[in-house]
């Protein structure tokens, strides 16, 4: 199979991420004797600098890690709703949905603490050693990718009139950043330098990392975040609101470890974060597949995967969240999915059809019911990636697409997205992480810190009694969903992608392609599976404001065979043919436990993701 790049192979270490500077910075840590976890932390902080439209330190990150010889664990870097964030409070402000931007949408920041916990427990390097790459790029500048400037252009008027602290960073000389001209963030560099200075005398390596966590939660960083949350800020409701984040919220939260949710198929065990993420959706899509699959890439094959996704996503809407017990075992059981599979016939479905695991009665949010009832041709929010903003606007349930909406354009151009990072080292340590949130377009830059708050609470519902209702102290259900796969019980493959609601659609196709397609030079054909034409559907309520959907829709790349497109249309799918390279943002690394050979590949779409290794 032709691929855009080779699947890299070696024995020392492999990194794949959504930006070449992050990949190479992580590789530099491996070259300096660090392990995969040290490297991932260094790469993640570089991603905050070079992809500020996609993630930031006050965002969130779920992490899957497999220490050599140890058990796979999930490290949850998704913060909770502040104590003052309740359905009643937001409804009292006249809101039907959590705004897509502004401090009302800010959960307790989670990313920084998760990376610190990873470095403390599994790394070997000092904090200064892994932060120096990000500090250097923030202080001395980096040549930004085109999408940084394109994103800033969409919010230029907002920055100039309302979010002026953001304009100071992202409108240097009054214009958006441009490729070839260095973009600096001196406030961010100063934040990390001050943090390192304040923790330098705390004791040994672990004590200094613990001191950094305390500075974030109770020191100058926390103080600045709370001040920012209290500032009235124009958001997508068209009004100025103060947030609910307090010093007590920051001081009382910590990242934490938990067991992954898993599913076994054909000798593979796929590990995901729990139903506070959308991770189990990928597992249920696997559970919905019949023992024998149609020919790869055929209309029958794509139809089967799309219809299975619709059923899994309907269950996500009815059952997933941190505000209730989620019947995960029933949702992934063979008996339940055999019954669900029977709903798939040779015609495209247009309804939102959650199931009844264990005999329970599903409950959909009113907004989801209204969106589903609107049917074909209703105003919709086709979604890829994370939200962007182009100024204040009003929207409510059933409203038309507005600023804040994640989407992919018909020509394949994206508005917003997120990041991904995978690392495997020569000792067999493996990690998969999907950092996101705290985008430059989510909230104003905190002037003292150089980065904004996040907006993950927009994924909750302002309706009581749902698994994903806005609930103080509970995590919003995130779309972030890294993956780690074991073969016969041994970690082999780490992968993931940006893409909001599309992440587990693109990952399913990648995983099946990596397993099904003929190998290149032995092992998994990672690059071939990434490069293969991909697709997504929007037949369920989007996770981002304004929570729209397109029943029956399927968007495919123009490289998809014409007979496949025609076959999908004959089955009743509303097919949009997008640009040739527009679906998927996958990264992947692998390790063959029989030989110790490492491999890696990265997405060519967008021309910024790169794998490196030797």
């Amino acid at each position: 199979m032709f691929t855009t790049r080779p699947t890299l192979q070696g024995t020392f270490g492999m990194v794949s991420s959504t930006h070449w500077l992050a990949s190479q910075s992580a590789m530099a840590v491996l070259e300096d004797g660090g392990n995969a976890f040290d490297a991932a932390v260094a790469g993640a902080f570089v991603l905050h600098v070079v992809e500020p439209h996609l993630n930031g330190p006050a965002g969130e990150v779920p992490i899957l890690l497999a220490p050599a010889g140890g058990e796979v664990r999930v490290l949850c870097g998704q913060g909770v709703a502040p104590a003052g964030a309740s359905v009643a409070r937001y409804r009292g402000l006249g809101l039907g949905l959590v705004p897509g931007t502004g401090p009302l949408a800010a959960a307790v920041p989670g990313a920084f603490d998760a990376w610190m916990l990873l470095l403390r427990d599994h790394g070997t390097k000092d904090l200064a050693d892994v932060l120096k790459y990000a500090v250097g790029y923030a202080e001395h500048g980096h040549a930004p990718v085109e999408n940084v400037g394109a994103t800033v252009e969409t919010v230029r008027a907002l920055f100039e009139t309302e979010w002026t602290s953001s304009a100071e960073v992202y409108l240097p000389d009054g214009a958006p950043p441009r490729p070839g001209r260095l973009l600096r963030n001196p406030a961010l560099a100063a934040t990390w330098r001050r943090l390192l200075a304040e923790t330098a005398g705390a004791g040994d390596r672990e004590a200094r990392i613990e001191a950094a966590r305390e500075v974030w939660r109770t020191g100058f960083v926390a103080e600045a975040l709370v001040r920012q949350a209290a500032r009235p800020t124009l958001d997508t409701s068209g009004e100025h609101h103060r947030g609910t984040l307090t010093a007590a919220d920051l001081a009382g939260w910590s990242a934490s470890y938990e067991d992954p949710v898993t599913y076994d198929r054909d000798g593979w065990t796929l590990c995901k974060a729990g139903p506070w993420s959308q991770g189990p959706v990928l597992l249920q899509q696997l559970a919905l597949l019949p023992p024998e699959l149609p020919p790869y890439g055929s209309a029958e094959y794509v139809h089967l995967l799309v219809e299975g996704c619709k059923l899994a996503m309907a269950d996500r809407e009815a059952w997933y969240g941190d505000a209730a017990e989620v019947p995960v075992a029933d949702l992934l059981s063979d008996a339940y999915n055999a019954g669900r599979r029977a709903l798939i016939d040779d015609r495209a479905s247009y309804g939102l059809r959650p199931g009844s695991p264990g005999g329970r009665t599903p409950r959909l949010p009113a907004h989801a019911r209204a969106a589903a009832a609107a049917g074909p041709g209703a105003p919709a929010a086709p979604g890829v990636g994370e939200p962007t903003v182009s100024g204040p606007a009003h929207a409510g349930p059933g409203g038309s697409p507005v600023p804040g909406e994640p989407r992919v354009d018909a020509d394949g151009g994206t508005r917003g997205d997120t990041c991904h990072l995978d690392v495997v080292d020569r000792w067999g340590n493996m990690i998969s992480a999907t950092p996101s949130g705290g985008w430059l377009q989510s909230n104003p830059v905190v002037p003292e810190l150089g980065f904004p708050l996040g907006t993950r609470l927009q994924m909750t519902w302002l309706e009581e009694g749902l698994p994903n209702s806005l609930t103080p102290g509970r995590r919003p259900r995130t779309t972030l969903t890294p993956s780690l796969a074991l073969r016969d019980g041994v970690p082999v493959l780490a992968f993931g992608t940006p893409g909001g609601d599309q992440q587990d659609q693109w990952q399913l196709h990648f995983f099946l392609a990596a397993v099904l397609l003929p190998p290149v030079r032995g092992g998994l054909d990672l690059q071939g599976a990434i490069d293969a034409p991909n697709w997504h559907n929007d037949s369920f309520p989007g996770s981002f404001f304004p929570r729209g959907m397109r029943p029956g829709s399927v968007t495919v790349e123009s490289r998809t065979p014409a007979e496949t497109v025609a076959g999908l249309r004959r089955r009743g799918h509303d097919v949009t043919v997008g640009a040739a390279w527009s679906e998927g943002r996958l990264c992947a690394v692998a390790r063959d436990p029989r030989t110790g050979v490492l491999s890696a590949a990265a997405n060519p779409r967008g021309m910024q993701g790169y794998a490196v290794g030797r």
Side-chain angles (χ1 to χ4, degrees), residues 573-592:
H573 295 278
D574 180 9
V575 180
T576 298
V577 178
W581 297 90
S582 56
E583 294 286 322
R585 311 281 183 270
L586 283 139
C587 300
V589 300
R591 179 178 183 270
D592 188 332

Side-chain angles (χ1 to χ4, degrees), residues 83-94:
S86 66
V87 170
R89 181 166 184 170
Y90 285 47
R91 285 285 189 181
L93 295 172

Side-chain angles (χ1 to χ4, degrees), residues 86-88 90-91 95-98 323 363-369 460-471:
S86 66
V87 170
Y90 285 47
R91 285 285 189 181
L95 298 171
L97 294 172
V98 177
R363 182 181 174 191
L364 291 172
H367 180 91
R369 295 196 304 272
T460 60
W461 294 110
L462 296 183
E463 183 178 343
E464 299 284 8
L466 299 170
N468 193 33
S469 298
L470 177 64
T471 307

Side-chain angles (χ1 to χ4, degrees), residues 300 303-304 307 311 340-349 353 571 573:
E300 186 181 4
H303 171 79
L304 177 68
E307 291 302 304
L311 294 174
R340 299 287 277 156
R341 190 183 308 123
L343 297 175
I344 301 174
D345 56 25
D346 62 355
R347 297 296 297 172
S349 62
R353 302 181 291 175
R571 288 168 171 80
H573 295 278

Side-chain angles (χ1 to χ4, degrees), residues 8 155 163 167 183 185-186 199 277 285 306 317 340 421 446 560 578:
L8 306 184
V155 289
W163 297 8
L183 173 63
N185 189 339
T199 60
S277 76
Q285 287 180 97
V306 168
E317 289 309 312
R340 299 287 277 156
L421 175 71
V446 183
T560 303

Side-chain angles (χ1 to χ4, degrees), residues 363-581:
R363 182 181 174 191
L364 291 172
H367 180 91
R369 295 196 304 272
V384 160
E386 315 294 337
T388 188
V389 192
S390 54
H394 293 272
S400 60
V402 298
E405 164 197 347
R407 78 183 204 206
V408 64
D409 297 326
D411 64 358
T414 58
R415 301 292 183 86
D417 224 316
T418 190
C419 305
H420 189 79
L421 175 71
D422 299 310
V423 188
V424 62
D425 64 28
R426 62 190 184 275
W427 300 288
N429 299 301
M430 187 177 290
I431 183 170
S432 178
T434 308
S436 188
W439 311 283
L440 66 86
Q441 65 273 26
S442 63
N443 259 299
V445 165
V446 183
E448 306 95 320
L449 302 178
F451 58 84
L453 288 163
T455 54
R456 195 60 58 171
L457 292 187
Q458 69 180 289
M459 298 188 161
T460 60
W461 294 110
L462 296 183
E463 183 178 343
E464 299 284 8
L466 299 170
N468 193 33
S469 298
L470 177 64
T471 307
R474 297 289 185 175
R475 292 168 289 190
R477 188 197 71 215
T478 179
T479 52
L480 307 174
T481 171
S483 299
L484 203 148
L486 290 67
R487 180 70 173 172
D488 299 323
V490 180
V492 169
L493 176 64
F495 62 98
T497 179
D501 294 305
Q502 283 35 275
Q503 290 180 31
D504 283 315
Q505 301 185 58
W506 291 337
Q507 289 187 74
L508 175 66
H509 181 216
F510 164 80
F511 182 66
L512 294 177
V515 173
L516 293 176
L517 291 177
V520 176
R521 296 194 308 277
L524 302 174
D525 182 10
L526 301 183
Q527 195 65 52
I530 288 173
D531 288 355
N534 215 322
W535 62 82
H536 81 273
N537 85 92
D538 299 297
S539 298
F540 49 85
S543 294
F544 297 93
F545 182 92
R547 316 298 295 268
M549 64 181 288
R550 290 194 301 157
S553 66
V554 179
T555 302
V556 303
E557 293 181 327
S558 62
R559 295 181 296 126
T560 303
E563 58 269 25
T564 299
V565 174
L568 290 171
R569 286 175 170 152
R570 283 196 301 271
R571 288 168 171 80
H573 295 278
D574 180 9
V575 180
T576 298
V577 178
W581 297 90

